[in-house]
Amino acid sequence: MSTLDEEDRREYYRIEDTIALEISPLSAHDAAGKDVLQDASPLFNLLSELHLSEFESQHLLRQVSERDRTLANYLKTLNKRIDLLGQVVAQTVLGKFGEPQRVTLSEGGIEFEHHLSYPAGTHLAVKLLLMPQALGLLLRAKVTHCETRSFGTFEIGTEFESLTDAQRQLLARYILQKQALERRQAREQNDPVAD
């Protein structure tokens, strides 16, 4: 993260990750809107809706689990099958993105390198495809800084705007799962099991 951005978003966990990412400037109308952004790709929108509906139904699954474990186990199995279908859709959507790239991601925003410069205050549509969960999110963001990195690339820091609670929770869950995986992998590398 840039030192200019040290005070921004310190309350959020941040991770380094490689994701599929598309950036496009928002019109003044879309930047001012509070509705969830929709993508031109129906597959990407379906992928987003799949995860949002799964998130919104988690509390119902917990209630069913308290009353009927067999039914809850069956529903969890169905959910796993739907997740697999979501991963198939994500692989199809991934083909329409460019190469995955390194980013710094938090609940508060995203920092990435880009071939175009966007001045601070510019409103962007940030389209994320987070793997392996096949989580597709289309979010509003405002540029907080833009610095020249190397010939033809710029480091752009953004903060997310107008996230729904479900979007924020999905992003937070992804970040926490990624951190847990990294800690587990670090432990395994530092403490290999002797054969």
Side-chain angles (χ1 to χ4, degrees):
M1 268 285 159
S2 166
T3 55
L4 296 173
D5 202 31
E6 277 183 50
E7 296 175 13
D8 293 339
R9 297 182 308 274
R10 288 294 179 201
E11 68 272 15
Y12 299 114
Y13 290 113
R14 287 175 288 167
I15 59 169
E16 299 284 324
D17 201 3
T18 302
I19 66 169
L21 176 69
E22 276 186 14
I23 306 300
S24 59
L26 284 173
S27 68
H29 176 266
D30 286 337
K34 299 294 179 195
D35 295 333
V36 174
L37 293 174
Q38 292 294 309
D39 190 62
S41 164
L43 280 179
F44 186 83
N45 290 332
L46 286 172
L47 191 59
S48 294
E49 282 298 315
L50 176 70
H51 283 281
L52 290 173
S53 66
E54 187 263 336
F55 172 78
E56 292 168 349
S57 65
Q58 283 181 342
H59 74 283
L60 296 173
L61 184 58
R62 281 192 293 275
Q63 289 176 355
V64 168
S65 184
E66 291 171 2
R67 294 186 186 124
D68 188 340
R69 290 188 192 273
T70 304
L71 179 58
N73 287 335
Y74 175 71
L75 293 173
K76 286 178 184 175
T77 301
L78 285 180
N79 210 18
K80 205 176 280 188
R81 292 174 71 192
I82 292 169
D83 284 343
L84 291 172
L85 288 172
Q87 290 178 16
V88 170
V89 171
Q91 290 301 321
T92 304
V93 169
L94 188 59
K96 299 177 191 307
F97 277 82
E99 283 294 310
Q101 67 183 77
R102 295 288 301 164
V103 300
T104 301
L105 180 65
S106 77
E107 284 178 63
I110 186 168
E111 186 175 86
F112 54 92
E113 286 195 11
H114 197 57
H115 65 281
L116 296 175
S117 170
Y118 293 105
T122 303
H123 294 273
L124 302 173
V126 179
K127 186 171 157 182
L128 310 167
L129 186 58
L130 308 170
M131 300 300 276
Q133 289 86 341
L135 175 57
L137 293 170
L138 181 58
L139 308 173
R140 283 182 182 82
K142 184 168 83 173
V143 175
T144 58
H145 72 272
C146 181
E147 302 169 5
T148 304
R149 273 295 164 233
S150 59
F151 181 73
T153 63
F154 302 88
E155 177 185 275
I156 299 175
T158 68
E159 63 182 357
F160 296 130
E161 297 183 311
S162 304
L163 264 67
T164 65
D165 187 48
Q167 289 171 328
R168 185 176 304 283
Q169 292 294 327
L170 285 169
L171 200 50
R173 183 172 65 179
Y174 174 81
I175 290 167
L176 290 173
Q177 288 172 346
K178 190 77 171 176
Q179 285 180 321
L181 176 64
E182 288 171 359
R183 282 193 298 268
R184 190 169 43 252
Q185 289 172 340
R187 269 196 315 269
E188 289 170 359
Q189 285 180 343
N190 293 334
D191 190 24
V193 178
D195 289 325

